[in-house]
Amino acid sequence: MKPKLKLNKNFVTLITAQAISSLGDWLSIVAIITLVGLKWEATPMQMSLIILSLAMPMAVFGPVSGAIADRLDRKKLMIISDVVRGILILLLTLASSVWMVYIILFATGIFSSVFVPAKNGKLKELVKDENIKGAMSLTSIIDSSTKVLGPLISGILVSSFGTYNVFYIDSATFFLSALLILLLPATAKEPLNNKQEGKQASSLRSDLQEGFTFIRQSSYLMYGLFLLGISLLILQLSDSQIIILLRELTNVSPDLFGYAVTSSGLGMLITGIVLSKKTDYNAYLYMCLGVLGIGAGFGGMAALTYLDLALSIVWVPALGLVVGIAAGLVFIPFQSAVQEKTPVHLTGRVFGVINSTTTTATIIGPLAGGTLATVIGIIPSFLITSSLLIFLFFISLIFRNKVEQEDEHVTESQPGTQGAASRQIN
């Protein structure tokens, strides 16, 4: 962690709460997928619905939740979200059918849709503009680290104490996260003039429109969001079906899925560490390369599964590592750029729009992926995913110069945006 960020005690508290909550998330997600996918032998469509149950609330309520996060105290919203999610996770211990899991995950997703924009807005409050890229890389490192540790710890706990004990631990992490967030300062409010009072009294509809309008002003944000959304849509065609693909192998270990998730998290961790030290990178180019890497990783996984290659315990995690590194190149640069370009008073609305767009992709993707795998088979569906991502890479390179040049023009014609944001938090 950079010295300036180390000295920011509120930022350290925020990312500590994030780390604890994220670790619990991965504990329960892996346990649920293992329970439903392996023990209950779920169909491809049922696996898609697991992802859908968590994703749909973010897509449907994302923009509204973002606007709410800009209107209300973000600290209180995060605490409420953590406490309610902790209670909901406890209810998973009572689940006896896949439909009960769907309902509980859907309710959890509703409160997650509030937490995410509130957390991003709070980070913008606590960190100065010149440290945003480093802060975003550190939050990505935390997410990736918990993705690595979560499946490993979950596997040990499930095998030692049973699946449902993992849910108790996950619930406790949400409550602990809420206690840490209590230590954060409330949102500082400045005296409002008449113009600002009128704006604050505006309708929720106009708040939502303002988030869309801000994104449309930047060619980079518009095409970057398009690239991210389409990449996620194509990725989710196969990502939700990995455990189905692994069942095609002759000798598949029950722990192989956990290893794949762990290695992909390690890949994102590596990317986050590298980008936290190198903050002057070309974000758009990195996103393009990330799309290519994800496509290559999935294509290789499908090909080796078709060949039923031995030592899957080696090559599956290796390809997961490649996909994780590539995914980090797509997600981290874009989120850092959004934080840099967005004023603090708009972060909830902008991230609400972004989360809604990307989560819509994660809804359509698993459903289409489940259907595609059922109709043409799991291996062909992975090959289609790989081909589409590689094609998207070449299309993105064609538009690279146009997007970057137009974005530079917009930035030069709108000076002071970040300065205005800084004044609001000082």
Side-chain angles (χ1 to χ4, degrees):
M1 187 183 297
K2 293 186 177 182
K4 291 183 179 179
L5 291 175
K6 281 184 179 179
L7 296 176
N8 188 333
K9 294 182 180 179
N10 289 324
F11 171 71
V12 173
T13 300
L14 178 62
I15 64 172
T16 301
Q18 174 194 343
I20 294 171
S21 181
S22 295
L23 179 61
D25 283 340
W26 279 108
L27 289 178
S28 62
I29 288 175
V30 173
I32 289 169
I33 292 177
T34 301
L35 176 67
V36 176
L38 292 181
K39 293 185 178 180
W40 291 358
E41 295 186 351
T43 65
M45 187 56 68
Q46 285 176 326
M47 290 306 304
S48 296
L49 290 175
I50 288 291
I51 306 298
L52 178 64
S53 299
L54 274 173
M56 181 177 285
M58 186 71 76
V60 174
F61 303 112
V64 176
S65 299
I68 291 173
D70 285 337
R71 282 173 170 252
L72 303 180
D73 190 312
R74 291 161 178 151
K75 172 183 173 180
K76 292 179 180 178
L77 288 175
M78 287 189 289
I79 292 172
I80 293 171
S81 176
D82 269 342
V83 170
V84 174
R85 286 186 294 172
I87 295 172
L88 288 170
I89 293 298
L90 282 177
L91 296 178
L92 283 174
T93 61
L94 304 176
S96 57
S97 69
V98 70
W99 284 104
M100 292 180 67
V101 174
Y102 295 154
I103 294 170
I104 294 171
L105 291 182
F106 183 87
T108 302
I110 292 176
F111 288 91
S112 293
S113 75
V114 176
F115 185 90
V116 173
K119 186 207 75 173
N120 285 320
K122 198 66 181 177
L123 185 144
K124 183 74 173 183
E125 291 178 25
L126 301 176
V127 178
K128 293 182 178 179
D129 290 343
E130 60 266 27
N131 294 323
I132 281 293
K133 274 190 174 180
M136 290 302 295
S137 294
L138 285 170
T139 60
S140 176
I141 289 172
I142 289 172
D143 284 335
S144 302
S145 299
T146 55
K147 188 177 181 181
V148 173
L149 295 174
L152 291 175
I153 298 174
S154 179
I156 295 172
L157 292 176
V158 168
S159 61
S160 302
F161 305 107
T163 302
Y164 293 112
N165 283 310
V166 176
F167 299 141
Y168 291 120
I169 295 172
D170 185 23
S171 177
T173 62
F174 280 116
F175 294 131
L176 181 56
S177 173
L179 289 175
L180 288 172
I181 293 172
L182 275 172
L183 302 176
L184 297 176
T187 302
K189 297 183 181 295
E190 293 182 349
L192 301 176
N193 56 37
N194 291 335
K195 183 178 179 180
Q196 288 174 319
E197 287 177 351
K199 185 176 180 180
Q200 191 179 59
S202 63
S203 67
L204 188 61
R205 181 178 179 180
S206 65
D207 279 356
L208 296 176
Q209 185 61 39
E210 192 169 2
F212 285 104
T213 300
F214 182 82
I215 292 174
R216 285 202 302 266
Q217 291 175 348
S218 169
S219 296
Y220 176 84
L221 293 184
M222 275 294 294
Y223 194 78
L225 180 58
F226 168 80
L227 183 60
L228 181 63
I230 295 298
S231 298
L232 278 173
L233 174 62
I234 299 172
L235 184 153
Q236 286 294 329
L237 288 173
S238 292
D239 191 49
S240 62
Q241 305 298 321
I242 287 180
I243 198 165
I244 307 297
L245 179 72
L246 297 181
R247 292 199 322 223
E248 295 291 309
L249 295 170
T250 302
N251 297 311
V252 57
S253 167
D255 299 325
L256 190 56
F257 174 74
Y259 295 147
V261 173
T262 299
S263 60
S264 65
L266 180 60
M268 290 195 70
L269 173 61
I270 292 171
T271 302
I273 292 173
V274 172
L275 294 184
S276 68
K277 297 178 179 179
K278 177 181 173 62
T279 57
D280 59 344
Y281 52 79
N282 185 315
Y284 186 83
L285 178 60
Y286 277 21
M287 289 182 70
C288 294
L289 293 174
V291 170
L292 176 63
I294 296 172
F298 277 136
M301 197 172 293
L304 296 182
T305 300
Y306 174 77
L307 296 173
D308 201 9
L309 190 67
L311 296 176
S312 59
I313 200 72
V314 174
W315 59 261
V316 168
L319 289 173
L321 181 69
V322 171
V323 171
I325 291 173
L329 290 176
V330 176
F331 302 141
I332 299 173
F334 180 72
Q335 291 181 341
S336 297
V338 174
Q339 283 281 19
E340 280 188 313
K341 296 174 183 292
T342 306
V344 65
H345 67 284
L346 287 176
T347 50
R349 277 160 280 192
V350 171
F351 273 99
V353 172
I354 292 171
N355 290 333
S356 178
T357 302
T358 55
T359 309
T360 298
T362 65
I363 290 175
I364 299 174
L367 289 176
T371 303
L372 190 64
T374 302
V375 174
I376 69 174
I378 189 65
I379 293 178
S381 69
F382 265 71
L383 292 175
I384 289 175
T385 297
S386 173
S387 300
L388 289 173
L389 286 168
I390 293 172
F391 177 74
L392 180 61
F393 162 72
F394 287 109
I395 294 297
S396 301
L397 286 183
I398 293 174
F399 288 96
R400 177 188 169 190
N401 289 335
K402 180 179 179 181
V403 170
E404 291 180 345
Q405 288 174 2
E406 289 185 4
D407 188 57
E408 288 177 3
H409 175 72
V410 170
T411 301
E412 292 173 359
S413 64
Q414 294 181 343
T417 301
Q418 291 301 317
S422 298
R423 286 192 293 273
Q424 291 193 29
I425 62 176
N426 290 333

